[in-house]
Amino acid sequence: MNRQPVFFLSHGGGPWPWLEGEFRRSFDWLEASLKALPAQLPEPPTAVLAVSGHWEEPGFAVSTAAEPDMVYDYSGFPEHTYHIRYPAPGSPAVAERVVKLAAEAGIPVARDPQRGFDHGTFSMLQPIYPQADVPVVSLSMRQDYDPAAHLALGRALAPLRDEGVLIIGSGFSYHNLRLFDERAFEPSAGFDAWLRHALIDLPPEERAAAMLRWSTAPFARVAHAREDHLVPLFVAVGAAGDDPATCVYSEARMRGGITASSYRFGQDTTPTGFDLIAERVAA
C-alpha cells in the first residue's frame, strides 16, 4: 500500500456546497481545488481522518460511530441546510487504531460514539467525495490549542498514512469573522506569506518549530484572534514528518478581501503534476 499524503485545507464558510448565488460562487476556486484532490493521491484511501477546526474537547477525542450523525454548527443559513446529509460511514476500526497509536505515544484519546460530522468535515468532503463512499473518522482538537501537543499527536498518527488513511486538517488559513472584507487584504496576505514560507521553504525541523511560535508571525493575531482554524494544521505538520509541502490552493481577495490557501504534504503523485494555485485578484 502506497503512503498517503497529508492535507491542510481551508474549508470555506458554513454549508456552502449546498447553497446557490453569490455566497456559493465566492468559493468557486476553493471548490475546484477540492475536486482536484483525489487525483493527487497514489490510490483511493481506505478512510479519511478529519481534524476539524469545529470540534474541540478538553482532551483529544475520536468519533467511533459506524453511522455518524450530522452537527449543524452554524446559524443564519436557509432552512434546508439544517436537513442536509453527508451519509459517509464511519470506521470504528480506524478510530480504535487512532486510540492505540496515540496511547503508544503516551497521548490519551477518548472514544466518542455520539459525535457526528460538523461543517468543517462535511462541507470540505462534499466536493472531494460527493458520493460519500469513503469512511470518515473525526478527530477533535484539544481546547488548549497547544501546538506542541497537536504536533505530537500528528507524529503519533503518521503510521496511518501507510495503512491507506488520508489525514486532513480542515480549518482556514485566515479566520477572523470580524474582518472578512477588503480590510483583511493586508493582514491575510501578510500572514499567508509567512505561512507559505514556513511550510514550503523551511526544513522539516524548522517547519515544526515555526508552528510552535506561529503567534509571532506577521499579523498572526489579526488572522487568527482565536486559532481554532489553524490548529488542524499542527496535526497535519506532525503527521507529515519530513515530507515536502506544496501549496495546492491559494486565492487572493476571496470574498473580496482575504488571501486563503491549502497545502499538501508528501511527494507529488499526481499523474499530470497538476496543482491548483488560483491567484484570483479582483479587478
Side-chain angles (χ1 to χ4, degrees), residues 59 72 195 236:
Y72 303 115
L195 190 64

Side-chain angles (χ1 to χ4, degrees), residues 10 80 84 113 119 159 170 188 219 228:
S10 291
H80 77 271
I84 58 180
H119 84 266
S170 176
S188 66
F219 303 104
D228 49 336

Side-chain angles (χ1 to χ4, degrees), residues 16 27-37 127 249 274 276:
W16 63 268
F27 299 110
D28 280 354
W29 284 105
L30 175 62
E31 183 174 14
S33 73
L34 295 174
K35 288 181 175 180
L37 189 150
Y249 160 76
F274 169 79
L276 181 74

Side-chain angles (χ1 to χ4, degrees), residues 152-216:
L153 180 61
R155 294 186 187 105
L157 300 181
L160 291 171
R161 300 174 58 194
D162 296 312
E163 300 168 13
V165 177
L166 177 62
I167 300 173
I168 298 178
S170 176
F172 224 126
S173 61
Y174 174 89
H175 193 253
N176 182 341
L177 297 182
R178 295 183 177 182
L179 199 68
F180 222 88
D181 53 30
E182 65 278 358
R183 296 171 299 164
F185 181 72
E186 181 182 6
S188 66
F191 183 76
D192 197 80
W194 174 86
L195 190 64
R196 185 179 297 205
H197 168 70
L199 297 179
I200 294 177
D201 299 334
L202 296 181
E205 288 187 6
E206 293 183 28
R207 178 172 70 191
M211 298 300 100
L212 298 177
R213 61 175 188 274
W214 76 270
S215 62
T216 66

